[in-house]
Amino acid sequence: MNIGIVGLGYWGPNLVRNFSLSDKIDKIFCYDQNKDRIKKVQKVFPNIWSVPDYESLLSSDLETVVIATPVHSHYLLAKEALKHHKHIWVEKPFTLNSIQAKKLIELAEKNEVNIFVDHTFIYTEAIQKIKSLIINNEIGDINYFDSVRINLGLFQHDINVIWDLAPHDISIMLYLLSKYKVEAISANGVANYSKQENIAQLCIYFSENCFGNINVNWTSPVKIRKILIGGSKKMLLFDDLENFEKIKVYDSGIEINSSESIHEALVQYRIGDMYSPKLKQTEALQSAVQEFVSSINEKRKPLTSGENGLKVVEILEATQLSLNSKGKKVLV
């Protein structure tokens, strides 16, 4: 198939590279308001076709449009592409609000085309391995999901740190904890340098006494990408910055040998072995491209469909409401 990519900023060149590697893609048309970006990408990928504007992109001989622009532009660009009966790939977060997301999903269904939301981390070998461990009940019932995603820099002018960084962890959390229902959210944060919060903490209350905690920060002196998952059988640590042993599974836990209160009960801490499962060395974005193309050819919805993007946006909306009310719990 032929595709069009709009937006060649930070993430756009990675998309061009990965779509170029796919043997299912023939031509790649590109558009960016900044002509220098197009020239820069063409030096590396001379076979891509540049177009002067978005209208020309939509009228080109292509089946799919990839949108890698700031989030405030997602809705209008996606809407026009869907009106032209194009399948769309949209970067995270899907839209600025759930109303926009629902309208795009309805339009896609009407025109019988696919929506793919690029929650890239779901396509990593590490997250797929963790999912298999949970499905196979090796971790047991999940008690908590605790993640930290912090670094220095990359301030966004149109969204705060929650809308920028948290979609990664929210999408991972919803994917791994799919058997649990989100019931409420509480969030706190602060804006030290502008009107947009640069530090935030999200608390997510699930059914069955499961709890999620997400810490995001643009102003940390160190870069940390970690997820802790506590289960009734085992515990798990995922460190995305590790070159080896990204996942460590601990045969550790807490056992209470009494029906009395925890203060009176005999609490035992189980400390067992740790092992690190082997992971394949594959690029997540390449796996995402394969899933996107396959879903179109097989006439099915992709793993990260518009509905998945909508769920993440709904969590972000509830988080923003709580943040605006100084941490008040918001029911979902």
Side-chain angles (χ1 to χ4, degrees), residues 3-23 25-32 37-38 40-50 57 66-68 89 91 118 283 285-286 289:
I3 70 163
I5 299 178
V6 53
L8 298 175
Y10 172 72
W11 195 239
N14 291 320
L15 292 167
V16 173
R17 176 173 57 82
N18 278 276
F19 276 104
S20 298
L21 291 172
S22 173
D23 58 3
I25 302 299
D26 187 11
K27 293 182 181 179
I28 299 178
F29 299 84
C30 291
Y31 167 66
D32 193 293
R37 288 178 178 173
I38 296 178
K40 186 176 180 180
V41 172
Q42 281 184 317
K43 285 184 179 179
V44 182
F45 304 97
N47 292 330
I48 68 170
W49 299 60
S50 66
L57 185 80
V66 177
I67 300 169
W89 165 305
E91 285 308 309
D118 187 16
E283 186 175 356
L285 193 53
Q286 185 59 219
V289 167

Side-chain angles (χ1 to χ4, degrees), residues 1 39 100 114 121 183 196-197 246 289 292 299 309 313:
M1 67 181 69
K39 292 178 181 178
Q100 292 179 345
N114 272 7
F121 279 90
E183 296 181 338
Q196 305 289 359
E197 288 81 7
K246 283 182 178 289
V289 167
F292 179 49
K299 300 185 185 304
V313 171

Side-chain angles (χ1 to χ4, degrees), residues 80-265:
E80 286 303 309
L82 293 173
K83 281 184 176 180
H84 283 74
H85 296 264
K86 311 295 185 185
H87 303 283
I88 61 170
W89 165 305
V90 186
E91 285 308 309
K92 63 82 191 170
F94 183 21
T95 54
L96 276 177
N97 57 63
S98 58
I99 294 176
Q100 292 179 345
K102 290 175 182 177
K103 287 182 178 179
L104 293 179
I105 291 171
E106 290 174 2
L107 185 56
E109 291 177 349
K110 177 184 176 182
N111 292 338
E112 298 182 345
V113 289
N114 272 7
I115 295 177
F116 180 98
V117 182
D118 187 16
H119 294 303
T120 313
F121 279 90
I122 287 179
Y123 296 95
T124 62
E125 283 295 322
I127 297 303
Q128 289 299 314
K129 173 60 72 172
I130 295 172
K131 181 69 172 179
S132 69
L133 293 173
I134 293 174
I135 290 175
N136 293 328
N137 200 33
E138 187 164 341
I139 308 300
D141 296 328
I142 306 300
N143 296 324
Y144 68 83
F145 174 100
D146 195 319
S147 71
V148 180
R149 186 173 298 272
I150 63 177
N151 56 259
L152 186 64
L154 286 179
F155 273 70
Q156 305 292 331
H157 70 279
D158 57 339
I159 53 176
N160 62 22
V161 69
I162 291 174
W163 285 79
D164 179 40
L165 296 183
H168 292 305
D169 299 285
I170 293 172
S171 62
I172 292 170
M173 180 183 67
L174 293 178
Y175 178 62
L176 296 179
L177 277 58
S178 58
K179 66 173 286 188
Y180 303 92
K181 183 180 182 297
V182 178
E183 296 181 338
I185 293 173
S186 176
N188 284 287
V190 64
N192 297 119
Y193 303 97
S194 65
K195 294 182 180 180
Q196 305 289 359
E197 288 81 7
N198 55 282
I199 302 172
Q201 189 92 15
L202 289 66
C203 296
I204 302 96
Y205 300 84
F206 286 88
S207 60
E208 302 181 43
N209 208 32
C210 179
F211 182 74
N213 183 69
I214 297 175
N215 178 3
V216 288
N217 186 350
W218 276 334
T219 51
S220 165
V222 293
K223 183 176 182 179
I224 300 175
R225 299 282 188 271
K226 290 185 179 181
I227 293 175
L228 275 168
I229 297 177
S232 58
K233 291 183 177 180
K234 294 181 181 179
M235 298 180 178
L236 181 149
L237 171 65
F238 166 51
D239 188 342
D240 193 38
L241 300 185
E242 284 280 359
N243 292 323
F244 305 99
E245 296 188 345
K246 283 182 178 289
I247 299 174
K248 294 178 180 178
V249 181
Y250 296 84
D251 185 14
S252 303
I254 298 172
E255 297 176 356
I256 301 177
N257 298 321
S258 173
S259 59
E260 301 172 349
S261 70
I262 192 169
H263 300 291
E264 301 171 348

